Amino acid sequence: MMNYILSVVNNLYPDKNKCFQQKKIILLSINRYSMKRIQVIRRSLLAVLVVGTFAFRFIPHAGEFYACRMYPAISTFLSAIASLVPFSLDEWVVVLSLVLLVVFPFWARHRKFRWKRILGYEAECLLWIYVWFYWGWGMNYYRDSFYLRANVAPRPYEEEVFCRFLQNYADRLNASYAVASGISLNDSCLADSERSERALLFPDRMNLEAEVKKLYAQIPGHYGLALPRDFQHPKYLFFNSLYSGVGVLGFMGPFFGESHLNHELLPLQYPFTYAHELSHLLGISNEAEANFWAYQICIRSTSPAVRYSGYFGLLSYVLSNAAATLPEQTWKAWLETIHPAILRQLADGQRYWSERYSPWIGSVQHVVYNWYLKGNRISSGQRNYAEVIGMILSLPEDKWF
């Protein structure tokens, strides 16, 4: 078609200069038409994806359809791309997007673009990031609740039931500590604390990943978790000190299906945190449920140290819930049933992270992340982390196997 048009121009304009000018005008017009057509197609697709995001948010069970029918294929595809490089692609998506949004207006004004056009491109860029986030992972926020998928009702608070749980949990925590450290619970608590850190023998990280993935693959399908893939590994972080400064031990990368772990994690924290972040990659958005699965997976490990990491990972949530609900005397009496060396490990870990924490950056991150969770149907914000106890109490033990 293009050759035909140019041949007609040659016949109409024998003069070479006029012919060249007309050809140039025609080619520019065709190029503008093609660019306009591409723009219409691109923005129409964007509009469909934005509308689809809102539809999945408000249509009942649409989020569960996404999580079970669409997300497994999407996450596998994105993770496969990300597996080709050892570093985090998600980090660089965020960094490059910020650079683009800041630099583009200056470049565009230099090219004499009008502000209306510049703002239009900026808004379109933000919308593409928005739909990439939600279609890549974020619509897992709209899925059915844990209780609906587990076919159980949330258990109302009963002090007697909660106290039985606390005693059972303390017994298992103490026993797992003794087995993992090889130290008698009757020994000196100070010596225990110092020796147990060296005595805990964790499997190497490749074997840990393989076992955790194997356990996740055994979870019944009605819970709606995607199957873990062999090529899905925690990614290297360029800005690790920033995450330590805001108290982030790990996070899920929604743009390329990547899980991330803080490089400064203590060995005792690593198994629980890895299992927590992997659950996010498998389609769990709720932080309390991610803690639930991390706990259930770790305590079923063949490694005593990993089992202890599972019980220990739940300790801060159990302590906060018990302190908030029990009478002070009952709370203090129960606290004394936990071996002092375990409490010392908890205090040492809190001190370890507080030394790396930046109060100013951390306070900003806390406000932003709390707003982010509430904006995605996690109505209790960061308090959602402690709701894991309610999930454990509501689900009969070993029901999920």
Side-chain angles (χ1 to χ4, degrees):
M1 184 65 180
M2 180 66 70
N3 291 333
Y4 174 74
I5 294 173
L6 294 178
S7 65
V8 170
V9 173
N10 285 331
N11 293 330
L12 290 175
Y13 299 94
D15 184 271
K16 290 184 178 180
N17 290 330
K18 289 186 177 180
C19 182
F20 175 77
Q21 291 174 359
Q22 290 300 320
K23 286 182 179 179
K24 185 177 180 181
I25 292 171
I26 290 171
L27 290 173
L28 287 173
S29 299
I30 292 172
N31 184 57
R32 288 195 190 98
Y33 172 78
S34 299
M35 294 298 292
K36 189 70 175 178
R37 188 177 182 184
I38 292 172
Q39 183 184 76
V40 170
I41 294 172
R42 186 183 72 239
R43 291 184 175 177
S44 297
L45 176 61
L46 178 59
V48 170
L49 292 173
V50 170
V51 171
T53 301
F54 282 95
F56 275 90
R57 182 185 182 103
F58 295 108
I59 297 176
H61 309 301
E64 194 64 22
F65 175 83
Y66 165 84
C68 296
R69 304 297 181 186
M70 301 175 67
Y71 176 71
I74 292 172
S75 64
T76 298
F77 173 72
L78 294 175
S79 293
I81 295 174
S83 68
L84 300 176
V85 296
F87 56 86
S88 170
L89 292 179
D90 277 81
E91 269 193 320
W92 288 105
V93 166
V94 173
V95 170
L96 294 177
S97 296
L98 290 174
V99 170
L100 175 64
L101 290 169
V102 171
V103 172
F104 175 74
F106 295 97
W107 175 86
R109 287 300 295 167
H110 180 71
R111 297 291 300 271
K112 309 300 182 183
F113 284 28
R114 294 181 178 179
W115 276 111
K116 182 179 179 181
R117 186 179 179 186
I118 294 171
L119 294 175
Y121 281 126
E122 293 265 295
E124 184 179 349
C125 180
L126 288 171
L127 284 174
W128 276 113
I129 294 171
Y130 174 85
V131 299
W132 189 0
F133 170 84
Y134 278 101
W135 283 92
W137 179 81
M139 281 195 286
N140 286 307
Y141 281 115
Y142 308 148
R143 69 183 311 175
D144 295 342
S145 73
F146 166 80
Y147 298 103
L148 186 60
R149 288 180 283 118
N151 195 29
V152 296
R155 189 162 191 168
Y157 176 77
E158 298 176 49
E159 185 171 322
E160 183 180 351
V161 173
F162 186 49
C163 286
R164 283 203 303 268
F165 163 77
L166 290 176
Q167 192 55 58
N168 184 48
Y169 168 77
D171 291 342
R172 293 187 178 190
L173 174 67
N174 290 333
S176 67
Y177 164 77
V179 172
S181 63
I183 298 171
S184 170
L185 295 177
N186 295 321
D187 289 346
S188 165
C189 65
L190 178 61
D192 281 354
S193 177
E194 295 173 345
R195 290 161 51 199
S196 62
E197 288 290 345
R198 299 190 297 270
L200 291 173
L201 297 176
F202 291 94
D204 66 78
R205 292 184 176 178
M206 292 303 293
N207 286 330
L208 172 66
E209 285 187 33
E211 184 186 36
V212 168
K213 289 177 180 178
K214 182 179 179 181
L215 288 168
Y216 266 117
Q218 296 174 20
I219 297 174
H222 65 267
Y223 287 101
L225 277 71
L227 289 174
R229 305 296 178 179
D230 291 339
F231 51 78
Q232 293 172 330
H233 305 290
K235 301 304 286 291
Y236 179 83
L237 294 169
F238 279 92
F239 308 103
N240 197 80
S241 58
L242 175 63
Y243 306 120
S244 295
V246 297
V248 171
L249 305 188
F251 65 94
M252 166 66 197
F255 300 111
F256 280 99
E258 299 173 303
S259 60
H260 305 83
L261 297 178
N262 191 308
H263 303 163
E264 297 182 287
L265 277 170
L266 295 168
L268 181 55
Q269 296 174 314
Y270 189 92
F272 187 89
T273 307
Y274 169 68
H276 174 105
E277 296 305 330
L278 182 58
S279 75
H280 285 316
L281 180 56
L282 302 183
I284 300 302
S285 58
N286 184 288
E287 294 293 345
E289 187 178 349
N291 282 329
F292 171 85
W293 291 119
Y295 168 72
Q296 298 287 3
I297 291 296
C298 287
I299 66 173
R300 287 167 171 80
S301 171
T302 58
S303 164
V306 174
R307 292 199 298 272
Y308 176 53
S309 176
Y311 287 109
F312 186 83
L314 202 67
L315 180 57
S316 60
Y317 307 114
V318 177
L319 289 173
S320 64
N321 277 26
T325 56
L326 295 178
E328 184 177 359
Q329 187 175 357
T330 306
W331 146 250
K332 289 182 176 180
W334 173 76
L335 189 62
E336 291 178 357
T337 66
I338 299 177
H339 195 275
I342 298 174
L343 296 176
R344 180 186 173 95
Q345 284 183 330
L346 181 65
D348 288 346
Q350 291 171 340
R351 184 166 53 253
Y352 173 84
W353 289 108
S354 66
E355 292 171 354
R356 290 156 176 77
Y357 186 76
S358 170
W360 183 83
I361 300 176
S363 62
V364 173
Q365 187 268 348
H366 175 82
V367 172
V368 172
Y369 189 56
N370 212 39
W371 170 82
Y372 163 80
L373 289 176
K374 290 184 177 181
N376 285 288
R377 290 188 173 181
I378 310 297
S379 58
S380 56
Q382 291 194 15
R383 286 182 297 164
N384 179 260
Y385 278 92
E387 293 171 11
V388 59
I389 308 303
M391 294 180 177
I392 295 172
L393 289 172
S394 298
L395 194 71
E397 192 169 0
D398 291 335
K399 180 180 177 180
W400 68 283
F401 264 121

PDB file of all heavy atoms in Angstrom, residues 227-243:
ATOM      1  N   LEU A 227       1.002 -23.339  43.760  1.00  0.00           N
ATOM      2  CA  LEU A 227       2.088 -24.281  44.011  1.00  0.00           C
ATOM      3  C   LEU A 227       3.437 -23.574  43.888  1.00  0.00           C
ATOM      4  O   LEU A 227       3.658 -22.813  42.940  1.00  0.00           O
ATOM      5  CB  LEU A 227       2.032 -25.445  43.016  1.00  0.00           C
ATOM      6  CG  LEU A 227       0.886 -26.432  43.192  1.00  0.00           C
ATOM      7  CD1 LEU A 227       0.883 -27.443  42.047  1.00  0.00           C
ATOM      8  CD2 LEU A 227       0.987 -27.158  44.529  1.00  0.00           C
ATOM      9  N   PRO A 228       4.344 -23.782  44.832  1.00  0.00           N
ATOM     10  CA  PRO A 228       5.673 -23.169  44.719  1.00  0.00           C
ATOM     11  C   PRO A 228       6.470 -23.804  43.586  1.00  0.00           C
ATOM     12  O   PRO A 228       6.289 -24.987  43.264  1.00  0.00           O
ATOM     13  CB  PRO A 228       6.307 -23.471  46.080  1.00  0.00           C
ATOM     14  CG  PRO A 228       5.595 -24.695  46.577  1.00  0.00           C
ATOM     15  CD  PRO A 228       4.194 -24.614  46.045  1.00  0.00           C
ATOM     16  N   ARG A 229       7.341 -23.031  42.978  1.00  0.00           N
ATOM     17  CA  ARG A 229       8.165 -23.489  41.852  1.00  0.00           C
ATOM     18  C   ARG A 229       9.629 -23.576  42.257  1.00  0.00           C
ATOM     19  O   ARG A 229      10.109 -22.802  43.089  1.00  0.00           O
ATOM     20  CB  ARG A 229       8.017 -22.536  40.664  1.00  0.00           C
ATOM     21  CG  ARG A 229       6.574 -22.323  40.220  1.00  0.00           C
ATOM     22  CD  ARG A 229       5.948 -23.607  39.694  1.00  0.00           C
ATOM     23  NE  ARG A 229       4.552 -23.402  39.304  1.00  0.00           N
ATOM     24  CZ  ARG A 229       3.790 -24.355  38.795  1.00  0.00           C
ATOM     25  NH1 ARG A 229       4.268 -25.578  38.617  1.00  0.00           N
ATOM     26  NH2 ARG A 229       2.539 -24.094  38.455  1.00  0.00           N
ATOM     27  N   ASP A 230      10.348 -24.501  41.639  1.00  0.00           N
ATOM     28  CA  ASP A 230      11.750 -24.702  41.993  1.00  0.00           C
ATOM     29  C   ASP A 230      12.598 -23.465  41.725  1.00  0.00           C
ATOM     30  O   ASP A 230      13.614 -23.242  42.400  1.00  0.00           O
ATOM     31  CB  ASP A 230      12.319 -25.890  41.204  1.00  0.00           C
ATOM     32  CG  ASP A 230      11.725 -27.216  41.650  1.00  0.00           C
ATOM     33  OD1 ASP A 230      11.199 -27.279  42.776  1.00  0.00           O
ATOM     34  OD2 ASP A 230      11.775 -28.191  40.870  1.00  0.00           O
ATOM     35  N   PHE A 231      12.215 -22.669  40.724  1.00  0.00           N
ATOM     36  CA  PHE A 231      13.038 -21.516  40.353  1.00  0.00           C
ATOM     37  C   PHE A 231      12.704 -20.262  41.170  1.00  0.00           C
ATOM     38  O   PHE A 231      13.284 -19.196  40.935  1.00  0.00           O
ATOM     39  CB  PHE A 231      12.900 -21.200  38.853  1.00  0.00           C
ATOM     40  CG  PHE A 231      11.468 -21.072  38.385  1.00  0.00           C
ATOM     41  CD1 PHE A 231      10.728 -19.932  38.629  1.00  0.00           C
ATOM     42  CD2 PHE A 231      10.870 -22.110  37.682  1.00  0.00           C
ATOM     43  CE1 PHE A 231       9.426 -19.815  38.189  1.00  0.00           C
ATOM     44  CE2 PHE A 231       9.562 -22.008  37.239  1.00  0.00           C
ATOM     45  CZ  PHE A 231       8.836 -20.848  37.491  1.00  0.00           C
ATOM     46  N   GLN A 232      11.795 -20.360  42.113  1.00  0.00           N
ATOM     47  CA  GLN A 232      11.434 -19.208  42.944  1.00  0.00           C
ATOM     48  C   GLN A 232      12.320 -19.174  44.190  1.00  0.00           C
ATOM     49  O   GLN A 232      12.174 -19.998  45.090  1.00  0.00           O
ATOM     50  CB  GLN A 232       9.955 -19.276  43.330  1.00  0.00           C
ATOM     51  CG  GLN A 232       9.017 -19.098  42.144  1.00  0.00           C
ATOM     52  CD  GLN A 232       7.570 -19.363  42.497  1.00  0.00           C
ATOM     53  OE1 GLN A 232       7.262 -20.171  43.374  1.00  0.00           O
ATOM     54  NE2 GLN A 232       6.651 -18.695  41.806  1.00  0.00           N
ATOM     55  N   HIS A 233      13.246 -18.221  44.208  1.00  0.00           N
ATOM     56  CA  HIS A 233      14.177 -18.077  45.326  1.00  0.00           C
ATOM     57  C   HIS A 233      14.156 -16.625  45.817  1.00  0.00           C
ATOM     58  O   HIS A 233      13.886 -15.703  45.038  1.00  0.00           O
ATOM     59  CB  HIS A 233      15.606 -18.441  44.903  1.00  0.00           C
ATOM     60  CG  HIS A 233      15.739 -19.805  44.309  1.00  0.00           C
ATOM     61  ND1 HIS A 233      15.607 -20.954  45.056  1.00  0.00           N
ATOM     62  CD2 HIS A 233      15.969 -20.202  43.027  1.00  0.00           C
ATOM     63  CE1 HIS A 233      15.769 -22.012  44.276  1.00  0.00           C
ATOM     64  NE2 HIS A 233      15.983 -21.582  43.039  1.00  0.00           N
ATOM     65  N   PRO A 234      14.451 -16.382  47.104  1.00  0.00           N
ATOM     66  CA  PRO A 234      14.556 -15.002  47.597  1.00  0.00           C
ATOM     67  C   PRO A 234      15.612 -14.234  46.804  1.00  0.00           C
ATOM     68  O   PRO A 234      16.674 -14.778  46.481  1.00  0.00           O
ATOM     69  CB  PRO A 234      14.965 -15.173  49.061  1.00  0.00           C
ATOM     70  CG  PRO A 234      14.523 -16.553  49.425  1.00  0.00           C
ATOM     71  CD  PRO A 234      14.675 -17.367  48.184  1.00  0.00           C
ATOM     72  N   LYS A 235      15.341 -12.972  46.510  1.00  0.00           N
ATOM     73  CA  LYS A 235      16.211 -12.189  45.638  1.00  0.00           C
ATOM     74  C   LYS A 235      17.164 -11.285  46.427  1.00  0.00           C
ATOM     75  O   LYS A 235      16.895 -10.879  47.555  1.00  0.00           O
ATOM     76  CB  LYS A 235      15.366 -11.337  44.688  1.00  0.00           C
ATOM     77  CG  LYS A 235      14.427 -12.138  43.811  1.00  0.00           C
ATOM     78  CD  LYS A 235      15.146 -13.203  42.982  1.00  0.00           C
ATOM     79  CE  LYS A 235      15.916 -12.639  41.824  1.00  0.00           C
ATOM     80  NZ  LYS A 235      15.069 -12.087  40.749  1.00  0.00           N
ATOM     81  N   TYR A 236      18.278 -10.951  45.774  1.00  0.00           N
ATOM     82  CA  TYR A 236      19.281 -10.061  46.364  1.00  0.00           C
ATOM     83  C   TYR A 236      18.750  -8.627  46.369  1.00  0.00           C
ATOM     84  O   TYR A 236      18.136  -8.169  45.403  1.00  0.00           O
ATOM     85  CB  TYR A 236      20.577 -10.124  45.552  1.00  0.00           C
ATOM     86  CG  TYR A 236      21.665  -9.226  46.066  1.00  0.00           C
ATOM     87  CD1 TYR A 236      22.493  -9.636  47.107  1.00  0.00           C
ATOM     88  CD2 TYR A 236      21.853  -7.956  45.530  1.00  0.00           C
ATOM     89  CE1 TYR A 236      23.488  -8.802  47.588  1.00  0.00           C
ATOM     90  CE2 TYR A 236      22.843  -7.117  46.007  1.00  0.00           C
ATOM     91  CZ  TYR A 236      23.666  -7.542  47.032  1.00  0.00           C
ATOM     92  OH  TYR A 236      24.645  -6.716  47.510  1.00  0.00           O
ATOM     93  N   LEU A 237      18.992  -7.910  47.473  1.00  0.00           N
ATOM     94  CA  LEU A 237      18.504  -6.545  47.640  1.00  0.00           C
ATOM     95  C   LEU A 237      19.662  -5.545  47.565  1.00  0.00           C
ATOM     96  O   LEU A 237      20.695  -5.724  48.218  1.00  0.00           O
ATOM     97  CB  LEU A 237      17.791  -6.391  48.982  1.00  0.00           C
ATOM     98  CG  LEU A 237      16.485  -7.187  49.143  1.00  0.00           C
ATOM     99  CD1 LEU A 237      16.032  -7.174  50.598  1.00  0.00           C
ATOM    100  CD2 LEU A 237      15.393  -6.612  48.253  1.00  0.00           C
ATOM    101  N   PHE A 238      19.485  -4.488  46.783  1.00  0.00           N
ATOM    102  CA  PHE A 238      20.501  -3.445  46.693  1.00  0.00           C
ATOM    103  C   PHE A 238      20.405  -2.451  47.842  1.00  0.00           C
ATOM    104  O   PHE A 238      21.388  -1.833  48.220  1.00  0.00           O
ATOM    105  CB  PHE A 238      20.358  -2.697  45.359  1.00  0.00           C
ATOM    106  CG  PHE A 238      20.978  -3.408  44.195  1.00  0.00           C
ATOM    107  CD1 PHE A 238      20.233  -4.271  43.427  1.00  0.00           C
ATOM    108  CD2 PHE A 238      22.316  -3.231  43.874  1.00  0.00           C
ATOM    109  CE1 PHE A 238      20.790  -4.934  42.348  1.00  0.00           C
ATOM    110  CE2 PHE A 238      22.893  -3.888  42.795  1.00  0.00           C
ATOM    111  CZ  PHE A 238      22.127  -4.741  42.029  1.00  0.00           C
ATOM    112  N   PHE A 239      19.201  -2.270  48.383  1.00  0.00           N
ATOM    113  CA  PHE A 239      18.972  -1.230  49.386  1.00  0.00           C
ATOM    114  C   PHE A 239      18.637  -1.847  50.740  1.00  0.00           C
ATOM    115  O   PHE A 239      17.715  -1.407  51.431  1.00  0.00           O
ATOM    116  CB  PHE A 239      17.848  -0.302  48.911  1.00  0.00           C
ATOM    117  CG  PHE A 239      18.066   0.238  47.524  1.00  0.00           C
ATOM    118  CD1 PHE A 239      17.369  -0.293  46.441  1.00  0.00           C
ATOM    119  CD2 PHE A 239      18.982   1.249  47.301  1.00  0.00           C
ATOM    120  CE1 PHE A 239      17.578   0.190  45.162  1.00  0.00           C
ATOM    121  CE2 PHE A 239      19.197   1.741  46.022  1.00  0.00           C
ATOM    122  CZ  PHE A 239      18.497   1.210  44.945  1.00  0.00           C
ATOM    123  N   ASN A 240      19.406  -2.867  51.122  1.00  0.00           N
ATOM    124  CA  ASN A 240      19.084  -3.621  52.325  1.00  0.00           C
ATOM    125  C   ASN A 240      19.109  -2.768  53.592  1.00  0.00           C
ATOM    126  O   ASN A 240      18.279  -2.937  54.484  1.00  0.00           O
ATOM    127  CB  ASN A 240      20.061  -4.788  52.480  1.00  0.00           C
ATOM    128  CG  ASN A 240      19.546  -5.817  53.452  1.00  0.00           C
ATOM    129  OD1 ASN A 240      18.714  -6.649  53.122  1.00  0.00           O
ATOM    130  ND2 ASN A 240      20.020  -5.781  54.691  1.00  0.00           N
ATOM    131  N   SER A 241      20.060  -1.837  53.684  1.00  0.00           N
ATOM    132  CA  SER A 241      20.153  -1.010  54.891  1.00  0.00           C
ATOM    133  C   SER A 241      18.898  -0.163  55.081  1.00  0.00           C
ATOM    134  O   SER A 241      18.504   0.136  56.216  1.00  0.00           O
ATOM    135  CB  SER A 241      21.390  -0.110  54.826  1.00  0.00           C
ATOM    136  OG  SER A 241      21.347   0.724  53.679  1.00  0.00           O
ATOM    137  N   LEU A 242      18.251   0.215  53.975  1.00  0.00           N
ATOM    138  CA  LEU A 242      17.003   0.977  54.071  1.00  0.00           C
ATOM    139  C   LEU A 242      15.913   0.134  54.724  1.00  0.00           C
ATOM    140  O   LEU A 242      15.179   0.630  55.591  1.00  0.00           O
ATOM    141  CB  LEU A 242      16.553   1.419  52.677  1.00  0.00           C
ATOM    142  CG  LEU A 242      15.191   2.128  52.598  1.00  0.00           C
ATOM    143  CD1 LEU A 242      15.226   3.432  53.391  1.00  0.00           C
ATOM    144  CD2 LEU A 242      14.812   2.390  51.144  1.00  0.00           C
ATOM    145  N   TYR A 243      15.831  -1.144  54.356  1.00  0.00           N
ATOM    146  CA  TYR A 243      14.810  -2.017  54.937  1.00  0.00           C
ATOM    147  C   TYR A 243      15.089  -2.276  56.418  1.00  0.00           C
ATOM    148  O   TYR A 243      14.163  -2.320  57.228  1.00  0.00           O
ATOM    149  CB  TYR A 243      14.741  -3.341  54.165  1.00  0.00           C
ATOM    150  CG  TYR A 243      14.532  -3.134  52.688  1.00  0.00           C
ATOM    151  CD1 TYR A 243      15.458  -3.599  51.757  1.00  0.00           C
ATOM    152  CD2 TYR A 243      13.423  -2.447  52.207  1.00  0.00           C
ATOM    153  CE1 TYR A 243      15.283  -3.396  50.396  1.00  0.00           C
ATOM    154  CE2 TYR A 243      13.240  -2.239  50.856  1.00  0.00           C
ATOM    155  CZ  TYR A 243      14.178  -2.715  49.950  1.00  0.00           C
ATOM    156  OH  TYR A 243      14.003  -2.499  48.608  1.00  0.00           O
TER     157      TYR A 243
END
